[in-house]
Amino acid sequence: MKKTLIAYVATLLTFLLLDGVWLGLLMAPTYRELLGPLMLDKPLLVPAAVFYCLYVFGCVVFVVVPALTWQRAAKMGALLGLVAYGTYDLTNWATLRGWSMQVSLMDWAWGTFATAVACAVGFLLANRLGHSNR
């Protein structure tokens, strides 16, 4: 249980840090330019928090806990990110006016990368810090 909790917290903090840098610093002007009126002035915090908690729960249950190596966690994390972000981005591209191929490809690649890194870090920290002394 301790190891799983460490995996969750480590994966969540890594993902939040990566996504914060990506969305808040690196890509904010690009997203504003490409998405224009689709974006809110300020994001809604409750749905964002629910997304992060739920997505990281999936990362831990489906990737981090079952992985035997950090490399496997990274590969399966990339696969989960590819599927999850691909579903989101391709659906938006198919259904939303103003959602472009460029936005889809950038966000899809980012989600794949960020999920891979967060899962690998979650795995590594859980295995280093999560061993109980029985």
Side-chain angles (χ1 to χ4, degrees):
M1 182 68 165
K2 177 183 172 186
K3 187 175 176 179
T4 303
L5 181 59
I6 291 170
Y8 184 85
V9 171
T11 305
L12 179 63
L13 291 177
T14 302
F15 198 81
L16 285 171
L17 177 66
L18 289 171
D19 227 27
V21 169
W22 176 258
L23 293 173
L25 298 176
L26 299 176
M27 295 304 293
T30 303
Y31 280 127
R32 267 192 226 89
E33 178 186 327
L34 294 172
L35 296 174
L38 292 176
M39 290 188 66
L40 297 173
D41 292 332
K42 291 182 123 185
L44 301 176
L45 295 182
V46 171
V50 172
F51 161 74
Y52 285 111
C53 291
L54 182 62
Y55 189 66
V56 169
F57 177 77
C59 289
V60 170
V61 169
F62 297 123
V63 176
V64 177
V65 168
L68 298 176
T69 66
W70 72 266
Q71 294 93 333
R72 179 76 174 166
K75 287 176 189 172
M76 295 308 291
L79 181 60
L80 179 60
L82 184 77
V83 171
Y85 276 74
T87 301
Y88 170 78
D89 286 305
L90 292 172
T91 299
N92 285 345
W93 186 17
T95 61
L96 296 178
R97 188 176 296 113
W99 191 276
S100 67
M101 179 178 67
Q102 181 182 4
V103 171
S104 289
L105 294 176
M106 283 187 328
D107 192 65
W108 196 0
W110 171 250
T112 300
F113 171 78
T115 305
V117 171
C119 288
V121 170
F123 176 88
L124 287 168
L125 289 176
N127 281 288
R128 288 207 178 121
L129 303 174
H131 294 295
S132 60
N133 297 327
R134 290 187 191 181

